[in-house]
Amino acid sequence: MQIPETLNRLVRLLGKLPGVGEKTATRFAFFLLDEPLEFSQDLARVLLALKENVRLCSRCFNLTESERCRICDDLRRQNGTICVVETIPDLVAIERTGEFSGTYHVLHGAISPLSGIGPNDIKVRELLERLKSETVQELILATNINVDGEATALYLKKLLTSIDVPVTRIASGVPLGGDLEHIDKGTLGRALANRRPL
Amino acid sequence: MRATGPSVESTLRILKLALHQFRNIAELAIELNPRFNIFVGPNAQGKTNILESIYLLSSLQSFKGSRNRELIGWDVDEAFVRGLVERDHVSYEVLITLTPAQKRVKIDGKSPKSSFDVFGLVNVVLFAPEDLRITKGEPDARRRFVDRAIFNADSGHLELVRNYQKVLRNRNNLLKQSPAERNLALLEVYDEQLGELGGQLMQRRASFLEELAPHFSRAFLEIVGEERELQLLYQTSGGISTASEALVGALVAARGRDLRRGSTSVGPHLDDLELLLEGRNTRAFASQGQHRALVLALKIGEIAYLREKLGFYPALMLDDVSSELDRQRNGQLMEYLKGFGGQVFITTTDLVHLGIDSDYQAFRVDAGTVSRTS
């Protein structure tokens, strides 16, 4: 089909978005073409502002539009407890629970030599610096419960033996409302092994 | 859940099979016999492809290790395999749609939460000519036999094997790094992680082999018809115990050597299974006929093990096995099959050889088309 070059370029740019193929990109482009001018102006402004204003918090590496993120700036949060997570969506998930009132440290990845990610490629050094300069009562390792997340947690634990701070690992096991008979063996076995006194 | 009260024999049956653009089979829709299904035809007509499609329902993998592209017919981009399966008196429709990039699974029209909901629905044991490699070939063929049998009774085993392999590749990757970028603390982490998973893997294999051994000996006795001393020995690499701590210790001890080689020299990825007949290692000493009897006994032993674990017979697929076995073993196999309560799928070039005369349905396979005979 003969379409104007600008439209064509837009389709190619949109097609770079994750999960978007040429078909969807074309649909998006025609949608934008049909919408009033204000919509595109808004979108363009937000896109630029996103790149200009949004950056990583200098302390915990969460997203922020200023030097520090809202959580780090919040005086009600307990600075002495740091929860270490792999990604920002993980942080958001823990925030949603409303159970945690400390601060975070986002590693931006997990150690995986296979994928070429070593300790220096994620925010490990920054975490160690932080532990030296802040008074920390507890470090919670909330990396994923899979082989890479476990390796990352084990590595951090090993590095931290020289620093006198209690380290904990998030629990794993039976989900709330989980019928035991439907839970996979790995999870159930782990839940049994890590049982606690009542 | 297993029913209590008056017991009705539980079973596994594949009632119907439909294929669309699967390898050389453009369309197929057949009803299957609850006992024997025999696919007859000259070589290279598509008989094995039918077995491969059933195997796919069981494990989402081709037993030939083929990629999706090879499973999908020429000039098309989508194939499907649909099976109506009755397990423990409940029927399920399993649909696998293949595209060059992925396999999608639906059970009764719904996407399962994880592939582990699919595994374990259809339990099949395959016996193909290549299986003679189990006793004659390299250790990896024996490890694959062991892991596949454990997986057949407990699909969670696959996750353990995959996790172990992933951590192993991670460790190997670290070992290959230059001394300048090498991080020894991280290597210690992978020693621990590999030791933990490797210990679990060795313990599962050891307990499987312990359970398999009596079934295997009994099957072998029936096949050869005389009492022979037979041992099934699990050989861990480096002869270490199956405890995680033992493997961690061995990994730490092997570190210097591993760093030089750039790979991990100890762990269950190097395990072997030794078969001793009258105290002698069969891999080196057994005759061709004994190898056939041993492999047959391993497969029959696996079936008995699975029956004990699952509460019913797995489906058995025999791919052109008659041609591999001599007349005597063939007769013994068919004798065994008469007492075998499960569903059987057989491919053969000649129906007459089999000596199956009741409870069967034969299908003629000719250049990708399949038709019922008689």
Side-chain angles (χ1 to χ4, degrees):
Chain A
M1 190 170 76
Q2 281 297 332
I3 58 171
E5 183 48 32
T6 305
L7 196 59
N8 202 0
R9 267 184 65 202
L10 180 60
V11 168
R12 269 180 289 145
L13 286 172
L14 291 171
K16 287 181 187 286
L17 297 175
V20 177
E22 199 190 328
K23 233 166 150 180
T24 311
T26 309
R27 251 178 62 213
F28 285 178
F30 277 98
F31 172 82
L32 291 166
L33 196 61
D34 287 344
E35 284 295 289
L37 178 65
E38 292 74 38
F39 183 83
S40 287
Q41 282 172 334
D42 263 359
L43 187 64
R45 267 194 297 270
V46 171
L47 283 177
L48 284 175
L50 178 76
K51 294 307 283 184
E52 279 161 12
N53 302 339
V54 177
R55 56 194 142 138
L56 298 180
C57 169
S58 61
R59 179 173 177 237
C60 77
F61 302 94
N62 183 14
L63 292 175
T64 176
E65 294 201 51
S66 48
E67 175 65 19
R68 283 198 176 189
C69 74
R70 281 194 199 168
I71 294 170
C72 285
D73 271 344
D74 189 339
L75 294 173
R76 288 163 303 180
R77 309 288 296 213
Q78 294 152 2
N79 280 325
T81 312
I82 300 178
C83 179
V84 180
V85 293
E86 287 180 24
T87 64
I88 289 166
D90 294 342
L91 178 155
V92 172
I94 293 177
E95 274 302 281
R96 261 202 311 261
T97 65
E99 292 287 325
F100 182 64
S101 57
T103 58
Y104 293 91
H105 187 88
V106 186
L107 293 171
H108 289 274
I111 297 170
S112 175
L114 204 54
S115 319
I117 302 170
N120 295 335
D121 301 305
I122 59 175
K123 309 288 182 195
V124 168
R125 207 181 316 110
E126 291 82 350
L127 176 63
L128 296 182
E129 291 299 321
R130 208 176 141 183
L131 291 173
K132 277 180 211 153
S133 60
E134 294 178 24
T135 323
V136 178
Q137 278 96 42
E138 184 184 358
L139 194 71
I140 304 169
L141 300 178
T143 52
N144 285 330
I145 310 287
N146 56 26
V147 290
D148 287 341
E150 291 285 357
T152 306
L154 280 171
Y155 180 71
L156 289 175
K157 171 93 181 99
K158 206 166 277 287
L159 285 191
L160 295 171
T161 42
S162 57
I163 301 173
D164 186 26
V165 52
V167 179
T168 55
R169 179 86 172 105
I170 49 164
S172 61
V174 180
L176 280 181
D179 286 340
L180 294 193
E181 77 168 314
H182 293 127
I183 289 170
D184 71 274
K185 284 188 192 177
T187 306
L188 195 53
R190 206 179 157 122
L192 265 176
N194 299 330
R195 68 191 180 277
R196 59 184 170 80
L198 200 61
Chain B
M1 196 181 295
R2 196 142 308 163
T4 51
S7 77
V8 185
E9 175 84 11
S10 49
T11 52
L12 171 72
R13 297 282 184 254
I14 300 160
L15 306 173
K16 289 181 187 174
L17 180 70
L19 304 179
H20 169 76
Q21 298 293 357
F22 186 80
R23 288 204 187 255
N24 74 333
I25 302 170
E27 291 300 332
L28 165 90
I30 48 176
E31 281 187 25
L32 296 162
N33 189 287
R35 292 283 285 132
F36 294 100
N37 295 276
I38 307 168
F39 299 94
V40 193
N43 286 323
Q45 301 299 311
K47 300 189 300 287
T48 302
N49 298 347
I50 298 169
L51 299 191
E52 193 181 25
S53 74
I54 295 170
Y55 194 92
L56 205 69
L57 290 175
S58 146
S59 66
L60 301 183
Q61 278 181 337
S62 151
F63 57 70
K64 295 179 184 165
S66 301
R67 294 172 179 280
N68 286 12
R69 183 66 264 176
E70 302 163 65
L71 300 176
I72 303 169
W74 285 106
D75 291 337
V76 290
D77 282 325
E78 197 174 87
F80 71 67
V81 177
R82 193 201 328 259
L84 183 65
V85 179
E86 190 187 76
R87 183 194 163 98
D88 256 344
H89 312 290
V90 179
S91 61
Y92 305 89
E93 191 201 62
V94 185
L95 172 68
I96 301 174
T97 309
L98 299 155
T99 64
Q102 61 172 345
K103 294 187 184 85
R104 281 195 309 272
V105 188
K106 292 213 162 164
I107 298 177
D108 292 332
K110 287 176 289 201
S111 302
K113 263 183 268 165
S114 90
S115 43
F116 291 100
D117 291 342
V118 186
F119 300 142
L121 198 58
V122 186
N123 313 84
V124 301
V125 171
L126 169 72
F127 187 15
E130 300 86 88
D131 284 325
L132 284 177
R133 277 205 301 253
I134 296 172
T135 63
K136 289 170 88 170
E138 298 301 312
D140 68 304
R142 288 179 284 284
R143 288 194 295 271
R144 209 168 320 120
F145 164 74
V146 169
D147 284 333
R148 164 83 198 162
I150 301 172
F151 162 78
N152 234 332
D154 169 14
S155 58
H157 186 64
L158 181 66
E159 196 179 12
L160 177 59
V161 171
R162 281 187 186 160
N163 281 342
Y164 177 81
Q165 283 166 348
K166 184 166 185 198
V167 175
L168 177 66
R169 287 199 303 270
N170 271 328
R171 185 176 190 270
N172 287 343
N173 207 294
L174 281 184
L175 293 170
K176 288 190 183 75
Q177 287 178 351
S178 68
E181 56 181 346
R182 187 174 296 149
N183 181 333
L184 286 178
L186 193 55
L187 193 54
E188 278 173 33
V189 166
Y190 284 105
D191 288 353
E192 276 173 44
Q193 212 180 10
L194 198 62
E196 175 59 37
L197 293 168
Q200 289 176 29
L201 187 50
M202 290 189 289
Q203 286 151 34
R204 283 213 195 178
R205 284 176 177 172
S207 67
F208 161 72
L209 289 170
E210 214 168 278
E211 288 181 70
L212 177 72
H215 297 302
F216 170 60
S217 296
R218 199 173 315 120
F220 190 75
L221 170 67
E222 277 171 30
I223 293 166
V224 300
E226 55 180 327
E227 195 79 51
R228 303 292 292 273
E229 192 211 331
L230 194 58
Q231 282 170 282
L232 202 57
L233 295 182
Y234 180 33
Q235 303 279 350
T236 60
S237 71
I240 57 173
S241 86
T242 59
S244 289
E245 298 75 30
L247 181 53
V248 175
L251 286 165
V252 171
R255 187 176 290 170
R257 180 178 57 201
D258 288 359
L259 282 168
R260 281 193 300 280
R261 299 172 16 150
S263 67
T264 301
S265 62
V266 62
H269 60 290
L270 298 167
D271 284 351
D272 200 358
L273 168 64
E274 224 171 74
L275 298 169
L276 300 182
L277 184 59
E278 315 275 51
R280 305 216 306 173
N281 191 334
T282 55
R283 197 181 162 199
F285 291 102
S287 67
Q288 183 71 3
Q290 283 171 329
H291 275 296
R292 289 179 176 138
L294 287 165
V295 173
L296 194 54
L298 280 174
K299 291 286 172 175
I300 292 173
E302 181 188 356
I303 289 168
Y305 164 83
L306 289 175
R307 177 164 155 72
E308 209 170 79
K309 290 279 162 188
L310 301 169
F312 52 79
Y313 282 106
L316 175 59
M317 304 201 292
L318 301 169
D319 189 17
D320 201 21
V321 168
S322 306
S323 68
E324 242 347 277
L325 298 178
D326 48 62
R327 187 181 292 269
Q328 188 197 352
R329 313 249 179 264
N330 210 13
Q332 282 153 348
L333 175 60
M334 293 308 145
E335 209 45 51
Y336 168 76
L337 288 182
K338 282 178 188 154
F340 171 79
Q343 194 176 22
V344 186
F345 301 88
I346 302 175
T347 69
T348 182
T349 48
D350 192 351
L351 186 55
V352 185
H353 277 343
L354 294 175
I356 293 171
D357 42 25
S358 60
D359 290 335
Y360 77 93
Q361 175 63 53
F363 301 90
R364 173 150 293 281
V365 184
D366 186 15
T369 61
V370 181
S371 51
R372 290 168 81 106
T373 64
S374 68

